[in-house]
Amino acid sequence: MTSVHLGKQHPSVYRSLTTLDAEVKAALETAGVDPLLVELVKIRVSQLNGCAFCLRLHTRDALAKGETTDRLAVVAAWWESQYFSDQERAALALAEQVTALAVPERRTWDDGSLTDEQVSAISWLATVMNAWNRVAITSHYPVAP
């Protein structure tokens, strides 16, 4: 398959995804989801999808917002470390579930540390991040130092 830049090929669809992304951001803010947690979810979803472009982008964003290199170094194995709060662990597990769509449905993240509004907002975040990963991977966005 030839490399096709999806945003350039269908700019109106790309703009719609950008609009959805903005709506999800507003939902996350309304739900009180910490901006660092938002970046951790974006990073974890991008790890699962193998999207180097989004990994670089959101790792830099996380660092700029005050995330530590220690936590970023272990986010790929978050369940093995003591770096993450119960709420962060629940959000990361939820994002993995949305990304993997495991059957039968796993609900190991549902420990009560997330409100219904936060569950919905984080689910939308994982959904839109999956879409962005697929756009970047399919379009072969360059990843250079």
Side-chain angles (χ1 to χ4, degrees), residues 107-122:
R107 296 189 60 87
T108 58
W109 56 268
D110 195 2
D111 64 0
S113 63
L114 298 170
T115 66
D116 288 350
E117 188 174 22
Q118 289 172 330
V119 168
S120 178
I122 291 167

Side-chain angles (χ1 to χ4, degrees), residues 9-56:
Q9 189 66 40
H10 289 97
S12 66
V13 177
Y14 188 88
R15 282 191 301 275
S16 295
L17 184 56
T18 301
T19 300
L20 176 61
D21 190 58
E23 291 289 329
V24 170
K25 181 179 180 184
L28 289 160
E29 290 172 1
T30 300
V33 178
D34 185 288
L36 284 178
L37 178 52
V38 169
E39 295 305 326
L40 289 175
V41 168
K42 289 178 177 182
I43 290 165
R44 185 62 187 133
V45 169
S46 298
Q47 287 173 336
L48 294 169
N49 288 324
C51 184
F53 180 86
C54 292
L55 280 167
R56 182 188 62 178

Side-chain angles (χ1 to χ4, degrees), residues 91-105:
L92 290 166
L94 172 59
E96 288 183 4
Q97 178 181 305
V98 170
T99 300
L101 292 177
V103 177
E105 181 180 347

Side-chain angles (χ1 to χ4, degrees), residues 75-137:
V75 74
W78 57 267
W79 62 92
E80 286 287 325
S81 80
Q82 290 71 49
Y83 281 101
F84 304 100
S85 70
D86 287 344
Q87 188 178 63
E88 290 168 331
R89 296 166 75 80
L92 290 166
L94 172 59
E96 288 183 4
Q97 178 181 305
V98 170
T99 300
L101 292 177
V103 177
E105 181 180 347
R106 300 178 328 205
R107 296 189 60 87
T108 58
W109 56 268
D110 195 2
D111 64 0
S113 63
L114 298 170
T115 66
D116 288 350
E117 188 174 22
Q118 289 172 330
V119 168
S120 178
I122 291 167
S123 295
W124 275 110
L125 171 62
T127 299
V128 78
M129 199 61 223
N130 277 288
W132 282 123
N133 288 166
R134 281 149 178 80
V135 168
I137 291 167

